[in-house]
């Protein structure tokens, strides 16, 4: 029989999240079920909840795609995981598995469309839609569940399942290593992990920020340099400097200015999500043979590789642990840029609060 679990979800776009109950399907032959220990809060969760990405796909919609938990049940055909394992689930829980991209280990770019962890039609349960990690437990196919090294702090590892892989994948793809110069635009949930991952890869890292307010924080994260872009002088002083510019902000930026900071055959990678247009000037690309690319999160094998890399180099997110009941406060604080650098929900707090004793 399906299992009923406590969760936090949205009934209407733009409205606060509220306590809800949802059903998790039976564990199939190749499924694993896990009790959720921690779930990170990503800005994209907020975009789905507030309607930025369109109407709610289901009501209630339970977001959350940075999930770490313990396996509590496995199907009879499961070989990758066993009860008690510390595991994680990121942005997707299925794909067609047969298209060219899936066969290349790039399930995030599935040509049929990957199955997002929340709000997507669930191929394992026709007629139902997936529900995410702001909940007590989840069931997913074993192939889309990754092993979380026990040496990592599980709470601080949760944001690696989205933010971590989102920055790791393009840094690796475009050759961040000893001798390369990487600029990270923005120092939020994505940006602070961009700094940590690039440094762990051996790169020389510069943080680009509109003001000087995060200079000390950037240094504490390991950044080698810090430049203020608000007055425009950095674009001249650092022209033709970087091999990679990693843009992590979720708002439009001046592409010609940042492209001008790339050296010969340098690449600007956009990983921040904005629905607003960013005008492009072709000459900014032609000069120095520059490239401008986008990058989603990574495939399953690469996500596992990233977690193993994070364990080897002791890379986790800087987090603030909160109770599930405080999720709406966390959303407000994220909008006010009042978090260093990722909120993570304590999975033990999804259970309904005990009723207050009646006064005599």
């Amino acid at each position: 029989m399906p299992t009923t679990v406590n969760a936090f979800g949205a009934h209407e776009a733009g409205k606060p999240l509220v306590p809800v109950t949802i059903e998790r399907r039976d564990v199939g032959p190749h499924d694993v079920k896990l009790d959720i220990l921690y779930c990170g809060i990503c800005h994209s969760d907020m975009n789905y909840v507030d309607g930025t990405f369109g109407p709610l796909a289901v009501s209630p919609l339970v977001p959350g795609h940075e999930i770490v938990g313990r396996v509590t049940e496995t199907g009879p055909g499961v070989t990758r995981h066993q009860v008690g394992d510390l595991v994680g689930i990121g942005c997707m829980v299925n794909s067609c598995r047969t298209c060219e991209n899936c066969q290349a280990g790039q399930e995030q770019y599935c040509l049929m469309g990957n199955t997002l962890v929340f709000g997507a039609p669930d191929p394992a349960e026709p007629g139902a839609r997936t529900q995410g990690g702001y909940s007590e437990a989840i069931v997913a196919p074993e192939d889309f569940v990754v092993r979380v090294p026990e040496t990592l702090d599980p709470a601080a590892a949760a944001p690696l399942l989205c933010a971590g892989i989102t920055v790791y994948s393009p840094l690796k793809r475009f050759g961040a290593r000893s001798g390369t110069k990487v600029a990270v635009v923005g120092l939020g949930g994505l940006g602070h992990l961009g700094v940590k991952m690039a440094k762990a890869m051996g790169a020389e890292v510069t943080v680009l920020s509109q003001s000087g307010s995060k200079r000390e924080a950037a240094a504490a994260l390991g950044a080698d340099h810090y430049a203020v872009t608000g007055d425009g002088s950095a674009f001249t002083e650092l022209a033709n400097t970087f091999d990679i510019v990693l843009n992590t902000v979720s708002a439009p930026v001046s592409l010609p200015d940042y492209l001008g900071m790339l050296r010969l055959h340098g690449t600007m990678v956009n990983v921040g999500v904005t629905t607003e247009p960013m005008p492009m000037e072709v000459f900014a690309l032609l000069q120095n043979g520059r490239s401008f690319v986008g990058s989603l999160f990574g495939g399953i094998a690469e996500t596992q590789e990233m977690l193993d890399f994070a364990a080897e180099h002791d890379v986790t997110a800087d987090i603030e642990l909160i109770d599930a009941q405080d999720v709406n406060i966390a959303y407000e604080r994220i909008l006010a840029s009042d978090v260093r650098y990722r909120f993570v929900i304590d999975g033990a707090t999804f259970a309904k609060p005990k009723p207050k004793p009646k006064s005599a």
Side-chain angles (χ1 to χ4, degrees), residues 10-325:
H11 287 291
E12 296 181 56
K15 300 294 185 181
L17 297 168
V18 295
V20 297
T21 58
I22 57 173
E23 286 193 345
R24 295 301 191 188
R25 69 172 187 272
D26 289 339
V27 174
H30 297 283
D31 287 339
V32 298
K33 181 179 181 181
L34 51 142
D35 283 348
I36 295 174
L37 301 177
Y38 302 101
C39 184
I41 296 178
C42 176
H43 200 282
S44 293
D45 294 342
M46 299 168 57
N47 292 143
Y48 281 100
V49 169
D50 67 16
T52 298
F53 289 167
L56 297 188
V58 63
S59 179
L61 176 72
V62 175
H65 57 267
E66 298 180 337
I67 302 165
V68 170
R70 292 274 180 196
V71 176
T72 58
E73 186 179 349
T74 63
V78 170
T79 59
R80 293 190 177 192
H81 310 287
Q82 59 186 1
V83 172
D85 284 354
L86 186 67
V87 296
I89 296 174
C91 300
M92 59 183 170
V93 289
N94 222 322
S95 71
C96 80
R97 310 186 193 212
T98 59
C99 73
E100 179 182 3
N101 291 358
C102 286
Q103 289 292 301
Q106 300 289 300
E107 300 93 346
Q108 75 276 28
Y109 301 127
C110 177
L111 295 175
M112 300 299 292
N114 67 62
T115 301
L116 294 175
V117 70
F118 65 85
D122 190 349
E125 193 176 10
R129 286 186 176 263
T130 55
Q131 297 281 23
Y134 294 8
S135 58
E136 292 180 293
I138 190 169
V139 177
E142 65 167 328
D143 293 345
F144 286 79
V145 177
V146 291
R147 175 184 51 81
V148 177
E150 293 280 356
T151 56
L152 292 174
D153 175 350
L160 298 181
L161 275 301
C162 172
I165 184 60
T166 295
V167 297
Y168 176 89
S169 182
L171 286 171
K172 176 194 169 189
R173 177 182 170 192
F174 294 105
R177 61 188 181 276
S178 179
T180 59
K181 294 183 178 182
V182 174
V184 177
V185 184
L187 200 64
L190 284 171
H192 91 287
L193 281 171
V195 171
K196 289 187 177 187
M197 289 291 186
K199 282 298 296 179
M201 292 174 178
E204 181 181 332
V205 179
T206 299
V207 169
L208 303 177
S209 187
Q210 287 190 321
S211 74
S213 63
K214 296 182 179 180
R215 187 182 300 272
E216 291 184 4
L221 291 167
D224 300 288
H225 312 287
Y226 187 94
V228 176
T229 59
D231 63 2
S233 60
F235 298 119
T236 300
E237 295 168 1
L238 296 173
N240 308 308
T241 295
F242 300 108
D243 299 286
I244 301 170
V245 172
L246 183 70
N247 178 31
T248 71
V249 299
S250 54
V253 300
S254 174
L255 292 181
D257 285 336
Y258 287 98
L259 287 167
M261 300 175 116
L262 292 170
R263 66 196 304 181
L264 181 66
H265 296 159
T267 302
M268 180 173 176
V269 186
N270 209 88
V271 294
V273 177
T274 177
T275 57
E276 300 178 47
M278 290 193 289
M280 170 72 76
E281 294 180 9
V282 173
F283 277 107
L285 286 175
L286 299 182
Q287 294 167 350
N288 265 350
R290 299 167 176 133
S291 299
F292 175 67
V293 303
S295 183
L296 203 56
F297 46 90
I300 297 301
E302 190 173 49
T303 300
Q304 186 63 67
E305 176 188 294
M306 177 275 303
L307 288 169
D308 294 338
F309 177 88
E312 179 182 354
H313 295 276
D314 194 26
V315 175
T316 53
D318 288 12
I319 67 166
E320 183 174 335
L321 192 63
I322 64 168
D323 289 352
Q325 291 75 19

